[in-house]
Amino acid sequence: MDSSSFLTSLATSFVIFIVLVLLYIWLSKKPGNAVVYYPNRILRGLDPKDNGSKSWIHVALSSTEQDVISISGVDTAVYFVFLSTAVYWVSFVTYFLLWKAYKHVSALRANALTSPNVKPEQYAILVRDIPSVPEGQTRKEQVDSYFQNIYPDTFYRSMLVTDNKVVNKIYQELEGYKKKLTRAEAIYANSKATGKPEGTRPTHKTGCLGLIGKRVDSIEFYNEKINELIPKLESEQKSTLREKHLSAALVFFTSRVAAASAAQSLHAQKVDTWTAIDAPEPRQLLWSNLKIKFFERQVRQYVVYIIVALTIFFYMIPIGIISAFTTLKNLRKLLPFLKVVLDEEAVRTVLEAYLPQLALIVFLALLPKFLLFLSKAEGIPSESHAVRAASGKYFYFSVLNVFIGVTVAGTLFSTFKSIQKEPKSAVDILANSIPENAAFFLTFVALKFFVGYGLELSRIVPLIIFHIKRKYLCKTEEEVKDAWTPGALGYGTRIPGDMLIITIVLCYSVIAPLVIPFGVAYFGLGWLILRNQALNVYVPSYESYGRLWPHIHVRIIAALILYQVTMFGYLGVKKFYYSPILISLPILSLIFAFICNKKFYRAFHDTALEVVAQESKETPNLEQVFRSFIPPSLNYEKSDDDQFEDALSQVSRTGSFV
Amino acid sequence: MDSSSFLTSLATSFVIFIVLVLLYIWLSKKPGNAVVYYPNRILRGLDPKDNGSKSWIHVALSSTEQDVISISGVDTAVYFVFLSTAVYWVSFVTYFLLWKAYKHVSALRANALTSPNVKPEQYAILVRDIPSVPEGQTRKEQVDSYFQNIYPDTFYRSMLVTDNKVVNKIYQELEGYKKKLTRAEAIYANSKATGKPEGTRPTHKTGCLGLIGKRVDSIEFYNEKINELIPKLESEQKSTLREKHLSAALVFFTSRVAAASAAQSLHAQKVDTWTAIDAPEPRQLLWSNLKIKFFERQVRQYVVYIIVALTIFFYMIPIGIISAFTTLKNLRKLLPFLKVVLDEEAVRTVLEAYLPQLALIVFLALLPKFLLFLSKAEGIPSESHAVRAASGKYFYFSVLNVFIGVTVAGTLFSTFKSIQKEPKSAVDILANSIPENAAFFLTFVALKFFVGYGLELSRIVPLIIFHIKRKYLCKTEEEVKDAWTPGALGYGTRIPGDMLIITIVLCYSVIAPLVIPFGVAYFGLGWLILRNQALNVYVPSYESYGRLWPHIHVRIIAALILYQVTMFGYLGVKKFYYSPILISLPILSLIFAFICNKKFYRAFHDTALEVVAQESKETPNLEQVFRSFIPPSLNYEKSDDDQFEDALSQVSRTGSFV
């Protein structure tokens, strides 16, 4: 890659970025687009124009950490702590900052947990691996008597985990018909207003995709379906609550300390039974995973690890091939018929600048879903934990494949013969190949931050989708809302992406210092833009009280060690006299990681009792805490509450307070 | 070593054993020796002759496990479980038996913990790393308010750990003078009975060893000293309790569940402060270790590990030299002036049979104290834990040094030149050297079990010491009791010794099957004799509720893996066709170890709440529980109780029950 193609790439990226920023400034002012640019504010019932007088940069800069926490939760704040430290690379500065950051995040977590607001998950624990029901007892009696025996004073009640597969299916079907009914009614009302006064009743065909089958009156048809499904759902709810008990339960306590302490304690002498952990937030519980047994979880975990390792290993081959092929010189050599096109100056420059990076980005975009699926298959009980696990896998995947894979494969392809003659160590190859590939990664970083953040800020894709949907598809208010609801920040892929940039910046900082301003720009801009997005756009879908951080911390250190080892090899290759001094650095990093882990980690894994000891002044509404864990499919009709109560609390509740 | 020397060694050992057993049967019948052969029974107030009509073998065989537990605690029972499984060596049989044993020990532990008898340590936790006292508070207030805040209902009171160095010294001095006074009074009374009716007042010189200095009347002198020391002790007790507070405390709870749960929970957001573990038994608390801080403990641990590793590494050299020199052929070659003596048939045979083994046994006897010292230097808070840690180090030491060291070094010495020519892998050397050394280890096992257990059963050494002491030294009843008090079973050295035998038996079982009957005899005889000793002789000095077992378990598996690897190498050397199949065995062993660890270990590390949930019917006397933790040096005079109460409970106790 020569300097002209590099500059072209840079310039193009920058122009795209400027255009997108200008678009944002213009578009976000239009009232019709407020739902795209301020959905978070609107969902919280705030006036999107509240900050209209100030520029978004000013707001993003002036908002305090507490604002961000109250709006987007600790996880978001954690993410900013992460962004604001990654900017540095010298090891000791990194240590110092990581130490400070860990301490800070730990304090954030403590503050969030201390908060007197009642958070249902702080009063509950999740118990899995309940042994089979002894004869003459129900599952409910078994669980209640077990915990009442251990916690006579603080046990409140229990909720058995049930197999909700069937009831969920019916519920979703019902909800689907309800939406369709609302939509049909809206179309009918609309037709009254615009066409004939008596209106046109909407119709559709009942067959496949509405293309074949009998044509029916939509409103009547959906009403019928709904009336059919409601009793079906009710009877399924009853049978689920009565019979489909699994070997897991949520156990509620009357105080936060009791719950936090119970979640950390061993309950049964048989370690693989009655395993207790702190309950995740109701909204992020993965009910279908709760029944998986202790050793099955272990086996699943290792099977998944093996699959991920194989994935990392075997995807190296296609990536290597892509990287080697997409050098223009190779392309011309291998596909001579493209010569005419490739010799065109404009085509050549653009292709050379973007082709490999685009291939890479597209390829990386395919993976997160697969990794999340694998992580859930491990039997992890909560969404945030599964996302953390997937994000970790994605980090190792991207670092190993993209960074090492592209670097080494690119070099291997051109120096294949010389290697055959005199085999070199892996460290040597890695260190040798770095300068040649620096330009590739510079472009990669530039592309990611200019185009990536430009798209992020301008929200041009969601904007277009929203307008298309509103114009042609949405008939009801609810559908419009669905069209602009922004979702969460998406840590699962965002963090590994940023971690890859950190790794790249760290590793190239000494050889190609040009990468440093790009890195600074990436994280500086990222901090600014994502702060804006967190305040105005994204709605967090869960809160894990900063459990994300230890995870990021370990991976920054992994990147640092990779950097230190690479530098050692690089300087060794360059016959740098003092390079042996560098050997101590990776050891130092390991010691640092060990100390941090000892000092901070357990406070992220468990809830420290001192931080939850301050009970809120008013007695928490435990009934409401309990209810918040009932999944919607089992809590459909308000009138069904008594039935639910009966089914779930066969042991009289007064018993709990003896 | 030819077969005649081997048979001589065997025959000699056996004759010694028979003589010692006959001695035991004869001596243990004599009433004057009851205190040597039945001290445990006497200390429990039972009639030593109770079982006189039955043979000791019958008693040892017919006693139930519960008898052993009630007499010698779970640790002893665990030790028997260990002895009764070690007898087998085939991997799967080992797995099966280890699994059963682990399960059994786990149940034993649960039973012991469930017991309704009040055990003080079950109501307490040990808290270390208490942060520095905030201004305007005392240490006592700090600790009390911290735990009262977290456990408003179950916190009973706290006991601050103090620096008892000075007070202990004064206390020991005082106790020493008291003993001497009693002795002097006994001598005086005796002189009245035997000599002149007015008696001879005993005198002694005050200088070094009673040889120089002024001659004084002993009774007067000791009385004076005691009267001097009592007020000194009292004032030192006061100042210790008031001022010498360390950053650790014992915290007492009103229920066992609360204490067990607290010991497992994280208390502070700063993980390295307020660290809580379950309290050890009062008698095995190592007070001087309690002040050592979190990270200092970590550093000490690793420093100790390095020292132990260096010890293991550097002792290999002297052991190798000893082993190589003590071959008779080498001895004659190197020390030709001994030729005349060594050519005598009798001397030659005896020397050849015993010299190397004796050198080994003497050498190994020097180590345990050093390793226990190192383990205590790690900052471990309880005696039993330190013994476990020392025993683990001793195991690795003896296996690595004795087994591998002697085996390899002996072979190396004779085949040094051939190795210089063609270097072999370590596994090859190990596997090649085994058959040559089998006889050495057979003799080692025979010597250990015939002579070792013969001495153990006949208690000939303690018997002689006791009779000498009683005749010439003991003047008072107390001194006689001190002379026969047997002490504990001494797991610290006994278990590594047995583990070494297991390793030897496992590794030689295929090559030299003759080792199998020796192994069976060793553990069979050991089981029988030690059961007798546990029932009649030894008094356990602490109880760790079977925490010993996971420790033994891991080391049996380590021995098994060593065996599997050695077999793989051995069969590989022998060009055995199916030897690659053996590769899977060590992996299987690792998986087995992993599963056992997951399934059982946590129940040994923590107390399962379900087993302590059955609170005893009568309310425990918490005052007595609290008092049992006061070290004797701080609890000298009964009249001082109030003062202790004042000093330790500056926060009014009624406050604890609000």
Side-chain angles (χ1 to χ4, degrees):
Chain A
M1 194 186 292
D2 51 40
S3 67
S4 85
S5 78
F6 174 65
L7 289 176
T8 315
S9 150
L10 221 60
T12 327
S13 296
F14 187 68
V15 169
I16 293 173
F17 177 69
I18 293 299
V19 169
L20 290 171
V21 168
L22 290 173
L23 262 177
Y24 166 71
I25 292 166
W26 177 58
L27 289 170
S28 65
K29 289 250 152 66
K30 303 186 94 176
N33 293 338
V35 291
V36 174
Y37 294 103
Y38 303 100
N40 180 315
R41 299 188 73 85
I42 291 169
L43 285 174
R44 282 181 299 129
L46 296 178
D47 179 10
K49 297 277 105 187
D50 198 21
N51 296 306
S53 56
K54 302 178 211 161
S55 78
W56 65 271
I57 294 174
H58 182 81
V59 174
L61 281 175
S62 64
S63 62
T64 66
E65 189 164 69
Q66 279 308 318
D67 292 341
V68 178
I69 291 174
S70 60
I71 294 170
S72 284
V74 175
D75 291 348
T76 313
V78 164
Y79 186 68
F80 284 109
V81 171
F82 158 66
L83 282 181
S84 62
T85 53
V87 192
Y88 304 88
W89 35 89
V90 182
S91 301
F92 283 95
V93 176
T94 314
Y95 296 154
F96 175 73
L97 289 169
L98 280 175
W99 181 266
K100 294 273 282 183
Y102 218 144
K103 226 171 163 174
H104 183 62
V105 172
S106 184
L108 284 181
R109 176 175 160 84
N111 272 338
L113 289 173
T114 310
S115 148
N117 302 333
V118 174
K119 283 163 189 155
E121 65 275 14
Q122 289 194 306
Y123 289 88
I125 63 169
L126 173 63
V127 178
R128 286 184 290 178
D129 311 305
I130 302 176
S132 51
V133 185
E135 266 192 58
Q137 262 193 325
T138 63
R139 173 71 78 185
K140 179 76 187 165
E141 284 164 1
Q142 181 199 18
V143 173
D144 280 3
S145 65
Y146 188 84
F147 284 98
Q148 203 139 27
N149 183 27
I150 296 177
Y151 304 100
D153 303 320
T154 50
F155 173 71
Y156 173 61
R157 63 195 292 195
S158 69
M159 181 191 287
L160 295 181
V161 169
T162 49
D163 181 359
N164 300 338
K165 216 170 154 187
V166 179
V167 78
N168 276 349
K169 214 186 141 212
I170 299 174
Y171 176 74
Q172 271 153 23
E173 224 176 311
L174 180 63
E175 288 293 298
Y177 282 126
K178 280 191 172 179
K179 268 193 188 166
K180 282 179 186 163
L181 177 65
T182 326
R183 185 186 163 87
E185 279 171 347
I187 293 170
Y188 184 45
N190 206 33
S191 73
K192 273 187 195 162
T194 57
K196 297 169 282 180
E198 75 276 13
T200 319
R201 290 185 75 84
T203 59
H204 73 277
K205 288 181 179 170
T206 55
C208 174
L209 289 173
L211 296 175
I212 51 166
K214 209 175 67 171
R215 179 163 290 277
V216 292
D217 182 293
S218 297
I219 295 176
E220 265 173 36
F221 178 78
Y222 293 136
N223 265 323
E224 250 169 55
K225 281 281 179 193
I226 290 168
N227 289 334
E228 259 173 45
L229 280 172
I230 286 178
K232 207 171 152 195
L233 178 69
E234 279 171 13
S235 83
E236 185 57 38
Q237 281 178 341
K238 269 183 207 159
S239 79
T240 302
L241 292 173
R242 292 251 161 81
E243 292 151 28
K244 298 190 174 174
H245 296 159
L246 302 177
S247 60
L250 289 151
V251 176
F252 297 86
F253 292 90
T254 53
S255 84
R256 299 197 292 188
V257 170
S261 178
Q264 299 173 43
S265 297
L266 176 73
H267 284 81
Q269 183 71 15
K270 288 178 184 163
V271 180
D272 57 345
T273 60
W274 298 101
T275 53
I277 58 167
D278 40 356
E281 286 182 307
R283 56 183 168 175
Q284 55 163 317
L285 253 183
L286 300 173
W287 281 66
S288 55
N289 268 352
L290 301 185
K291 65 171 179 296
I292 300 170
K293 285 282 188 180
F294 189 80
F295 278 107
E296 195 185 333
R297 294 201 294 272
Q298 308 284 338
V299 172
R300 277 165 174 259
Q301 197 180 13
Y302 286 98
V303 169
V304 165
Y305 287 171
I306 291 168
I307 293 174
V308 170
L310 288 179
T311 310
I312 291 178
F313 181 72
F314 283 114
Y315 268 84
M316 263 199 160
I317 299 163
I319 282 239
I321 293 171
I322 289 171
S323 149
F325 267 64
T326 49
T327 315
L328 217 59
K329 226 191 283 176
N330 289 326
L331 221 60
R332 204 194 282 129
K333 225 189 290 174
L334 290 158
L335 308 168
F337 53 89
L338 285 178
K339 224 174 182 174
V340 193
V341 188
L342 290 174
D343 284 343
E344 288 284 327
E345 187 61 22
V347 175
R348 206 181 69 88
T349 318
V350 169
L351 261 185
E352 198 155 273
Y354 283 127
L355 219 141
Q357 289 82 358
L358 275 178
L360 200 60
I361 287 167
V362 168
F363 175 78
L364 288 178
L366 294 172
L367 260 140
K369 291 269 169 201
F370 177 61
L371 293 177
L372 188 62
F373 163 78
L374 281 180
S375 298
K376 283 187 182 170
E378 284 181 38
I380 288 170
S382 75
E383 188 74 31
S384 68
H385 189 169
V387 168
R388 278 204 299 284
S391 149
K393 296 182 177 74
Y394 194 72
F395 166 72
Y396 288 115
F397 183 91
S398 54
V399 165
L400 274 170
N401 274 303
V402 178
F403 184 67
I404 302 184
V406 171
T407 307
V408 177
T411 317
L412 275 183
F413 205 84
S414 57
T415 61
F416 195 69
K417 284 206 171 147
S418 72
I419 282 170
Q420 269 187 321
K421 276 173 208 154
E422 37 170 325
K424 292 176 179 181
S425 80
V427 172
D428 282 351
I429 292 173
L430 195 62
N432 266 322
S433 72
I434 284 175
E436 298 177 30
N437 291 280
F440 173 92
F441 283 112
L442 272 178
T443 329
F444 180 74
V445 174
L447 185 75
K448 253 208 123 172
F449 89 78
F450 280 137
V451 180
Y453 282 133
L455 284 173
E456 178 67 58
L457 180 67
S458 67
R459 287 179 66 73
I460 205 84
V461 180
L463 184 78
I464 294 167
I465 292 173
F466 166 66
H467 280 292
I468 291 173
K469 273 196 182 166
R470 198 178 56 174
K471 190 131 194 172
Y472 302 104
L473 294 170
C474 301
K475 300 292 175 189
T476 63
E477 271 305 302
E478 211 181 336
E479 283 175 340
V480 173
K481 198 180 162 187
D482 278 355
W484 59 256
T485 298
L489 204 51
Y491 303 108
T493 52
R494 200 177 287 276
I495 287 173
D498 293 338
M499 296 298 313
L500 180 62
I501 304 283
I502 290 186
T503 313
I504 292 170
V505 170
L506 273 176
C507 290
Y508 286 100
S509 58
V510 173
I511 319 154
L514 192 61
V515 83
I516 295 174
F518 282 83
V520 173
Y522 179 82
F523 288 103
L525 211 62
W527 187 87
L528 200 68
I529 288 175
L530 283 172
R531 207 167 173 98
N532 174 62
Q533 304 299 81
L535 288 169
N536 294 330
V537 181
Y538 294 117
V539 181
S541 63
Y542 53 78
E543 168 71 293
S544 70
Y545 301 105
R547 285 204 180 164
L548 201 60
W549 179 256
H551 184 89
I552 296 175
H553 177 86
V554 166
R555 278 158 187 85
I556 293 181
I557 291 179
L560 191 68
I561 292 175
L562 181 65
Y563 157 67
Q564 289 164 340
V565 170
T566 313
M567 278 309 97
F568 175 68
Y570 177 73
L571 295 174
V573 168
K574 295 265 179 250
K575 309 278 182 291
F576 181 59
Y577 188 72
Y578 294 105
S579 70
I581 296 172
L582 290 176
I583 295 177
S584 62
L585 265 183
I587 298 165
L588 208 65
S589 295
L590 287 174
I591 293 174
F592 177 74
F594 174 80
I595 292 174
C596 282
N597 188 47
K598 278 277 175 191
K599 190 173 173 73
F600 299 109
Y601 182 66
R602 212 188 144 191
F604 282 82
H605 184 267
D606 297 326
T607 303
L609 297 187
E610 66 173 17
V611 303
V612 289
Q614 306 297 341
E615 298 289 341
S616 46
K617 288 281 147 51
E618 74 271 33
T619 321
N621 184 343
L622 288 171
E623 188 58 30
Q624 204 172 308
V625 164
F626 175 77
R627 251 163 221 298
S628 67
F629 274 93
I630 304 172
S633 61
L634 288 178
N635 197 19
Y636 181 61
E637 292 284 304
K638 279 274 169 279
S639 60
D640 284 23
D641 280 4
D642 297 334
Q643 173 222 325
F644 191 85
E645 183 112 349
D646 289 349
L648 282 177
S649 309
Q650 288 166 16
V651 167
S652 75
R653 276 183 45 219
T654 50
S656 318
F657 294 112
V658 171
Chain B
M1 193 188 292
D2 52 41
S3 66
S4 84
S5 80
F6 174 64
L7 288 176
T8 314
S9 149
L10 220 61
T12 327
S13 297
F14 186 68
V15 168
I16 293 173
F17 177 68
I18 293 299
V19 169
L20 290 170
V21 168
L22 291 173
L23 262 177
Y24 166 70
I25 291 167
W26 178 58
L27 289 171
S28 66
K29 289 249 154 62
K30 302 185 96 177
N33 294 336
V35 290
V36 174
Y37 292 104
Y38 304 100
N40 181 314
R41 300 187 74 85
I42 292 168
L43 285 174
R44 282 181 300 127
L46 295 177
D47 179 9
K49 298 276 107 188
D50 200 21
N51 296 305
S53 56
K54 303 177 213 165
S55 78
W56 64 273
I57 294 174
H58 182 81
V59 174
L61 282 175
S62 64
S63 62
T64 66
E65 192 164 66
Q66 279 310 318
D67 291 342
V68 178
I69 291 174
S70 60
I71 294 169
S72 283
V74 176
D75 292 347
T76 313
V78 164
Y79 186 67
F80 285 109
V81 171
F82 159 65
L83 283 181
S84 61
T85 52
V87 191
Y88 305 88
W89 35 89
V90 183
S91 300
F92 283 94
V93 177
T94 313
Y95 296 154
F96 175 73
L97 290 169
L98 280 175
W99 182 266
K100 294 274 283 185
Y102 218 144
K103 227 170 161 174
H104 183 64
V105 172
S106 183
L108 285 181
R109 176 175 158 85
N111 272 338
L113 290 173
T114 310
S115 149
N117 301 334
V118 173
K119 285 162 189 158
E121 66 275 15
Q122 288 196 306
Y123 290 88
I125 63 170
L126 172 63
V127 178
R128 286 183 290 179
D129 312 303
I130 302 175
S132 52
V133 185
E135 265 190 59
Q137 261 192 325
T138 63
R139 173 70 78 184
K140 178 76 187 165
E141 283 164 1
Q142 180 198 19
V143 173
D144 279 3
S145 66
Y146 187 84
F147 284 98
Q148 204 140 26
N149 183 26
I150 297 177
Y151 305 100
D153 303 321
T154 51
F155 173 72
Y156 173 62
R157 63 195 292 194
S158 70
M159 181 191 286
L160 295 182
V161 169
T162 48
D163 181 358
N164 301 339
K165 217 170 153 186
V166 179
V167 80
N168 277 347
K169 213 185 142 212
I170 298 174
Y171 176 74
Q172 272 152 24
E173 223 176 312
L174 181 62
E175 288 293 299
Y177 282 126
K178 279 191 172 178
K179 269 193 187 166
K180 282 181 185 162
L181 178 64
T182 325
R183 185 186 164 86
E185 278 170 348
I187 292 170
Y188 183 47
N190 205 33
S191 75
K192 271 187 197 162
T194 57
K196 296 169 283 180
E198 76 277 12
T200 320
R201 288 184 76 85
T203 58
H204 73 277
K205 289 180 178 171
T206 55
C208 173
L209 290 172
L211 297 175
I212 51 166
K214 208 177 64 169
R215 179 162 289 277
V216 291
D217 181 295
S218 298
I219 296 176
E220 263 173 40
F221 178 77
Y222 293 136
N223 265 325
E224 249 169 57
K225 280 284 178 191
I226 290 168
N227 288 335
E228 258 172 48
L229 280 171
I230 286 178
K232 207 172 153 195
L233 178 68
E234 276 172 15
S235 85
E236 184 56 37
Q237 280 178 341
K238 269 183 206 159
S239 80
T240 302
L241 292 173
R242 293 251 161 84
E243 291 150 30
K244 297 190 173 174
H245 296 158
L246 302 176
S247 62
L250 289 152
V251 177
F252 296 87
F253 292 89
T254 54
S255 84
R256 298 197 293 187
V257 170
S261 179
Q264 298 173 43
S265 297
L266 177 73
H267 284 82
Q269 183 71 16
K270 288 178 184 160
V271 181
D272 57 346
T273 59
W274 298 101
T275 52
I277 59 167
D278 39 357
E281 286 181 306
R283 56 183 168 175
Q284 54 164 315
L285 254 181
L286 300 173
W287 280 68
S288 54
N289 269 350
L290 301 184
K291 65 172 179 295
I292 301 169
K293 285 280 188 181
F294 189 80
F295 278 107
E296 194 185 334
R297 293 201 295 273
Q298 308 284 339
V299 171
R300 277 164 175 259
Q301 198 180 13
Y302 285 99
V303 169
V304 165
Y305 287 172
I306 291 167
I307 293 175
V308 170
L310 289 178
T311 310
I312 290 177
F313 182 73
F314 283 114
Y315 268 84
M316 265 200 159
I317 300 162
I319 282 239
I321 293 170
I322 288 171
S323 150
F325 267 62
T326 50
T327 316
L328 217 58
K329 225 190 282 174
N330 290 325
L331 221 62
R332 204 191 286 129
K333 224 187 293 175
L334 291 158
L335 307 167
F337 54 90
L338 283 179
K339 223 174 180 174
V340 191
V341 189
L342 291 174
D343 283 342
E344 288 282 329
E345 186 62 24
V347 175
R348 205 181 69 87
T349 318
V350 169
L351 261 187
E352 198 156 271
Y354 283 127
L355 218 141
Q357 289 83 356
L358 275 177
L360 199 60
I361 287 167
V362 168
F363 175 78
L364 289 178
L366 295 172
L367 260 140
K369 291 268 169 203
F370 177 60
L371 293 176
L372 188 62
F373 164 77
L374 282 180
S375 298
K376 283 186 182 171
E378 282 181 40
I380 289 171
S382 74
E383 188 75 30
S384 68
H385 189 169
V387 168
R388 277 204 299 283
S391 149
K393 296 183 177 75
Y394 194 72
F395 166 72
Y396 287 114
F397 183 92
S398 54
V399 165
L400 275 170
N401 273 305
V402 178
F403 184 66
I404 303 184
V406 170
T407 306
V408 177
T411 317
L412 275 183
F413 205 85
S414 56
T415 61
F416 195 70
K417 282 203 171 153
S418 70
I419 283 168
Q420 268 186 324
K421 275 172 206 155
E422 35 170 327
K424 292 176 181 183
S425 80
V427 171
D428 282 352
I429 292 172
L430 195 61
N432 265 322
S433 72
I434 283 176
E436 298 175 31
N437 290 279
F440 173 92
F441 282 112
L442 272 178
T443 328
F444 180 74
V445 173
L447 185 75
K448 252 207 123 171
F449 88 79
F450 279 136
V451 180
Y453 282 132
L455 284 174
E456 177 67 59
L457 180 67
S458 67
R459 288 178 67 72
I460 206 84
V461 180
L463 184 77
I464 293 166
I465 292 173
F466 166 67
H467 280 291
I468 291 173
K469 274 195 182 167
R470 197 178 55 173
K471 189 130 195 172
Y472 301 105
L473 294 171
C474 300
K475 301 292 175 189
T476 63
E477 270 307 298
E478 212 183 332
E479 283 175 340
V480 173
K481 198 180 165 187
D482 279 354
W484 59 257
T485 299
L489 204 50
Y491 303 109
T493 51
R494 200 177 288 275
I495 288 173
D498 293 338
M499 296 297 313
L500 179 63
I501 304 285
I502 291 185
T503 313
I504 292 171
V505 170
L506 273 176
C507 290
Y508 286 99
S509 59
V510 173
I511 320 153
L514 191 61
V515 84
I516 295 174
F518 282 83
V520 173
Y522 179 82
F523 287 104
L525 210 62
W527 187 87
L528 199 67
I529 288 173
L530 283 171
R531 207 167 173 97
N532 174 63
Q533 304 300 81
L535 287 169
N536 294 330
V537 181
Y538 294 117
V539 181
S541 63
Y542 52 79
E543 167 71 292
S544 70
Y545 301 105
R547 285 204 180 164
L548 201 60
W549 179 255
H551 184 89
I552 296 174
H553 178 85
V554 166
R555 279 160 186 83
I556 292 181
I557 291 178
L560 191 67
I561 292 175
L562 181 64
Y563 157 65
Q564 288 164 340
V565 170
T566 312
M567 278 310 97
F568 174 67
Y570 178 72
L571 295 175
V573 168
K574 295 267 178 247
K575 308 278 182 294
F576 182 58
Y577 189 72
Y578 295 106
S579 72
I581 296 172
L582 290 177
I583 296 177
S584 61
L585 267 183
I587 298 166
L588 207 66
S589 294
L590 287 174
I591 293 173
F592 176 74
F594 174 80
I595 292 174
C596 283
N597 188 47
K598 278 278 174 191
K599 192 174 171 73
F600 299 110
Y601 182 66
R602 212 187 144 193
F604 282 82
H605 184 268
D606 298 327
T607 303
L609 298 187
E610 65 174 18
V611 304
V612 290
Q614 306 296 342
E615 298 288 341
S616 46
K617 288 281 145 52
E618 73 270 34
T619 321
N621 185 343
L622 289 170
E623 188 59 28
Q624 204 172 309
V625 164
F626 176 77
R627 250 162 222 298
S628 67
F629 274 93
I630 304 172
S633 62
L634 288 177
N635 198 18
Y636 179 60
E637 292 283 305
K638 279 273 169 278
S639 60
D640 283 24
D641 280 3
D642 297 333
Q643 172 221 325
F644 192 85
E645 183 113 349
D646 289 349
L648 283 175
S649 307
Q650 287 164 16
V651 168
S652 74
R653 277 184 45 217
T654 50
S656 319
F657 294 111
V658 172

